[in-house]
Amino acid sequence: MTARRSEPWTDWARAVPALTCTALFDAPDDPARAATRLARAGLGEQYAVYEHAGIWYFAAGSAVTLTADATDVVARADGRAWSAATEGKPLDRVAEALTALGNGGEATRHLYGWATFELAHLLHGDPAAAGTQPLLSFLVPCVEVALSPGKAELRAIDEAWAAKVTALLQSPDDPVAADTPTTATDVERLIASGASAYRHAVARSVADIQAGLLEKAVLSRVVVLPEGNEPDFAASYLAGRRANTPARSFLLDLGGRRATGFSPETVVEVEANGRIRTQPLAGTRALGPDPAENGRLREELRTDPKEVHEHAISVRLAAEEMETICRPGSVVIEEFMTVKARGSVQHLASQVAGQLREDLGPWSAFAALFPAVTVTGVPKSAALAALNRHEPEPRGLYGGAVFRAGTDGSLDAALVLRTLFAQEERTWLRAGAGVMGQSTPEREYEETCEKLRSVVPHMRFHRT
C-alpha cells in the first residue's frame, strides 16, 4: 500500500532501521579485493562498491530505497511505500527525504545510488525527453563497510549482518576467478564496431557548430556485447582497477542496473562544511607502455589548439555554474590544464572550487553542475538538443553519476565514464569525444577507441 501526502518523508525516516551495530577489525591488506569479495557473496539483493580517497566502501541491502522518475519520488522501508510528486524537481524531493532521515538523531547515514543522464532534460533541457524510466535510485544500506589496507570499519542494523561480513573478511582468501579474458583480436574487433555511423554523426555535429547552434557537443557511441558473452562484473572490476588510475571507481547492482567503472573525474564533491569542487577533464591523447611516446603525446595535447579550446570553454562553463551556487568571491580555479593519467588515456584536467551558499544544500549543487559539462557540451541546453538529434539511443547511466551521499550534507558524485553496463539481457559499453568546429570525424572516432581500451581488455567472462 502506498501512502500519499505532501510531506511523507518523516514517516519513512522513522521506518528506516538504525545502524546500531558497529565494529572495527582486521581485514585483508588489499581493500579492492576485499570489497569485490563482499560484492560476490550475495549478501543483499542490491549492493554498491564505491572507491574514494584510498577507501573502498561496500554497502548492501534491499528493503530501504528511494527512487525517482520524472513525475514521482517513491521511498520504501519496512514493507511500506511513501510517494510525492516531483513537480519537475526530483532533487528537491530527494533533499527533503535525506533531511528527514538525518533528523533521527543517528550518526551520519550514507546512501549509495545513481542518476541517469536523462535527469539532465528536467534540469536544463526539454522535460519531455526525460522519459518514463527511473532517473535516480538510492539504497539505504543494511550494512556499510569502509575498507582500507588491513582494516575494516563496519556499521550494520543488527548482529546477523555484522557476523556475515566479518566471517567473509576473516575467512581464508577465496581468489576472484579470472575466468576468460578477452583476446587482443576480440578487443580490437569490439572497439571498432559502429565506426561509420559515429563518423557521420560527428560530421553532422561539426556542421551544427559551424552553423552557430552551439560551441561544443560531446558525442558518444554504443558498443553492444554479442549475445552469449556474460561478463563477470566483479572479476572485470578487479582486473580493470589494477590497470586504471581513476578519480573514483565503482561496482554496483542497484535499481535494476549493473555497472562497473573507472571514473576519470567527479561531477561534484561537497564536504559537510559546504566546500565544493568539480573536476572538468577535456582534451585527450592515448596513454600506452612507451614513456617517450606518452611524453610526446602529452606535449601535443598541451599545445593542440582544438584540445586547449575545448578544455578552456569547459572550465569556463564549470566556473559559471559554480558562481550560481557559491558565496560571492569564493570560486577559484585550483588547478588549470594539468595532465592526468586515466588508464589508457591522458587528459587535460582542471579543478574548480568554492564555498556553497548557506541557503543551499548539496543537491542544489548537484542540480547546478549535473550533467558534467565534459559529457554534454556548451551551452548545455543546446548540447542536449544536439545529442538527441545525433546519438542512437538514450544514455541511461552513461554520462550520469554514481554517488555516495551523507545525511550530514556531504555528497561525492563520480561521473559515469569508462564503464561496463548491463540491464536485463543487454550488456554494453559507451564512449564519447568532444566535438568542436575544428574536429575531424576520424580523430574523434579514434579518441573513443582510446577510451574504450580502458575497459575492454580487462573484461572477464563467465565460463560456459
Side-chain angles (χ1 to χ4, degrees), residues 131-210:
T132 60
Q133 294 297 309
L135 303 174
L136 293 148
S137 182
F138 298 78
L139 172 68
V140 186
C142 294
V143 63
E144 181 182 28
V145 190
L147 295 156
S148 53
K151 184 175 73 171
E153 296 182 63
L154 177 147
R155 297 173 68 200
I157 60 171
D158 56 34
E159 292 288 348
W161 275 99
K164 292 176 186 177
V165 171
T166 304
L168 281 166
L169 291 178
Q170 295 188 335
S171 62
D173 188 28
D174 180 18
V176 175
D179 285 354
T180 306
T182 45
T183 67
T185 300
D186 288 340
V187 166
E188 293 308 313
R189 183 184 298 117
L190 187 62
I191 287 173
S193 62
S196 177
Y198 184 74
R199 292 189 187 104
H200 182 59
V202 170
R204 287 184 292 151
S205 298
V206 170
D208 284 351
I209 294 167
Q210 292 175 343

Side-chain angles (χ1 to χ4, degrees), residues 46 62 64 117 122 129 214 442:
Q46 302 187 78
S62 59
V64 184
F117 184 83
L122 286 185
L214 70 165
E442 184 56 41

Side-chain angles (χ1 to χ4, degrees), residues 146-389:
L147 295 156
S148 53
K151 184 175 73 171
E153 296 182 63
L154 177 147
R155 297 173 68 200
I157 60 171
D158 56 34
E159 292 288 348
W161 275 99
K164 292 176 186 177
V165 171
T166 304
L168 281 166
L169 291 178
Q170 295 188 335
S171 62
D173 188 28
D174 180 18
V176 175
D179 285 354
T180 306
T182 45
T183 67
T185 300
D186 288 340
V187 166
E188 293 308 313
R189 183 184 298 117
L190 187 62
I191 287 173
S193 62
S196 177
Y198 184 74
R199 292 189 187 104
H200 182 59
V202 170
R204 287 184 292 151
S205 298
V206 170
D208 284 351
I209 294 167
Q210 292 175 343
L213 299 181
L214 70 165
E215 288 185 74
K216 171 186 174 181
V218 183
L219 195 67
S220 67
R221 65 185 180 97
V222 179
V223 175
V224 179
L225 270 64
E227 291 185 11
N229 291 270
E230 183 184 355
D232 183 328
F233 274 72
S236 298
Y237 170 77
L238 197 58
R241 181 59 186 86
R242 299 287 190 250
N244 276 276
T245 49
R248 304 288 188 271
S249 70
F250 52 85
L251 168 67
L252 59 85
D253 187 342
L254 178 63
R257 297 174 184 264
R258 289 181 291 157
T260 183
F262 315 101
S263 174
E265 63 186 279
T266 57
V267 179
V268 64
E269 307 162 44
V270 185
E271 299 175 13
N273 64 6
R275 189 66 177 167
I276 178 173
R277 295 180 181 84
T278 187
Q279 300 178 345
L281 271 66
T284 306
R285 285 294 184 273
L287 185 68
D290 184 346
E293 177 64 4
N294 290 337
R296 184 190 70 78
L297 290 172
R298 182 167 56 249
E299 290 308 309
E300 181 181 288
L301 175 61
R302 284 173 169 157
T303 57
D304 184 286
K306 180 264 180 184
E307 305 290 0
V308 171
H309 183 200
E310 177 187 352
H311 186 82
I313 65 172
S314 298
V315 175
R316 182 194 70 200
L317 181 55
E320 290 172 354
E321 291 174 338
M322 289 279 282
E323 292 280 3
T324 68
I325 54 173
C326 289
R327 294 179 186 174
S330 70
V331 175
V332 296
I333 298 175
E334 294 184 332
E335 296 179 5
F336 184 65
M337 278 186 45
T338 62
V339 177
K340 293 197 181 290
R342 294 288 186 253
S344 60
V345 293
Q346 47 191 327
H347 292 293
L348 292 177
S350 296
Q351 181 165 276
V352 186
Q355 187 67 32
L356 194 62
R357 281 173 23 203
E358 293 182 357
D359 61 325
L360 298 178
W363 296 102
S364 297
F366 186 80
L369 292 161
F370 182 86
V373 61
T374 50
V375 292
T376 47
V378 181
K380 275 187 180 177
S381 58
L384 287 170
L387 298 182
N388 274 347
R389 290 194 300 273

